[in-house]
Amino acid sequence: KTHLNNTNEKCISFSKITTNIAISSCKTYIPTPHTALSSSASLEKQNSIQKMNSLEEKKKQDTLRILVQNLDIAAINQRLIVINLSRRGLTWLDGRAICTAMGLNPHLVVLKLSYNYLENRGAAIIAGGFVMEDKTKHPSLKVLDLGFNSIGDAGCVALALHALNRNFSLSTLYLSGNYLRHKGAIALAG
């Protein structure tokens, strides 16, 4: 969202929720024409704001890292039935931790991953998590929500091959808000 801060600079900010902590930061400052940054005090203030932004970004990355580590710990304990990681800023790089949780939790029923940035690579990695060590499909996962993750045809083909093929437990696959085209739809239709 965009707003004017107390120095009449236009501030473009964003919010991201990680775990239960809401973190907001201003990322880009665009001086308005009548408030050019020329004084040394303004430069000091701008440097201070950049340092704060850097610290906030590091805090968000640390929070996300802790979230993924906790997922790994819970997976080892084999106690998860529902995993809801929607709106956590996950990328395809987090797919391995999700696969670990799937593989170590044979009683997992619901996996919600909507509104992240998994893309085709993440969908392919997660689809691989459906194949258990004994080459069977995940025995209990009934709901997989991958809505709004920028998944295209390549990700849908991977899901069709690894997650849907000969899988009798998965009953609901959400793919709303992705870039599904003809090739991906045909693959998913089987």
Side-chain angles (χ1 to χ4, degrees):
K1 69 185 168 184
T2 304
H3 64 278
L4 294 177
N5 64 12
N6 59 0
T7 61
N8 291 328
E9 294 172 342
K10 187 176 178 186
C11 176
I12 302 170
S13 64
F14 70 99
S15 295
K16 181 165 98 174
I17 297 175
T18 52
T19 61
N20 292 327
I21 304 166
I23 302 170
S24 295
S25 65
C26 291
K27 294 301 285 179
T28 306
Y29 291 93
I30 305 168
T32 57
H34 59 288
T35 59
L37 295 175
S38 58
S39 69
S40 63
S42 294
L43 290 174
E44 285 179 26
K45 183 176 180 177
Q46 187 177 19
N47 287 338
S48 173
I49 291 170
Q50 288 175 346
K51 287 179 185 176
M52 284 179 18
N53 288 342
S54 176
L55 289 173
E56 288 179 8
E57 186 64 31
K58 184 180 181 326
K59 183 177 176 182
K60 285 189 286 190
Q61 290 173 352
D62 289 345
T63 302
L64 186 58
R65 181 182 47 77
I66 290 168
L67 176 71
V68 172
Q69 285 175 346
N70 287 339
L71 179 61
D72 287 341
I73 291 168
I76 291 169
N77 293 331
Q78 299 181 3
R79 295 185 184 154
L80 299 175
I81 295 172
V82 175
I83 297 175
N84 186 353
L85 294 174
S86 296
R87 298 179 189 267
R88 302 294 179 172
L90 301 176
T91 67
W92 68 271
L93 296 170
D94 301 306
R96 294 281 175 231
I98 295 165
C99 284
T100 300
M102 289 172 67
L104 293 175
N105 284 279
H107 303 292
L108 182 66
V109 176
V110 178
L111 179 57
K112 293 184 175 186
L113 301 169
S114 60
Y115 294 96
N116 284 298
Y117 308 99
L118 297 172
E119 301 175 322
N120 288 329
R121 291 169 81 176
I125 291 169
I126 291 165
F130 273 86
V131 180
M132 305 302 281
E133 286 182 16
D134 62 356
K135 304 296 181 201
T136 61
K137 301 295 181 180
H138 195 282
S140 64
L141 191 64
K142 294 183 184 317
V143 178
L144 176 59
D145 184 354
L146 290 171
F148 301 92
N149 271 290
S150 299
I151 297 170
D153 286 340
C156 290
V157 169
L159 287 167
L161 289 174
H162 301 293
L164 299 178
N165 186 24
R166 301 182 53 80
N167 186 336
F168 303 108
S169 65
L170 188 67
S171 60
T172 307
L173 174 62
Y174 291 106
L175 289 170
S176 301
N178 287 298
Y179 304 113
L180 184 61
R181 301 272 190 242
H182 190 273
K183 183 179 178 183
I186 290 174
L188 290 170

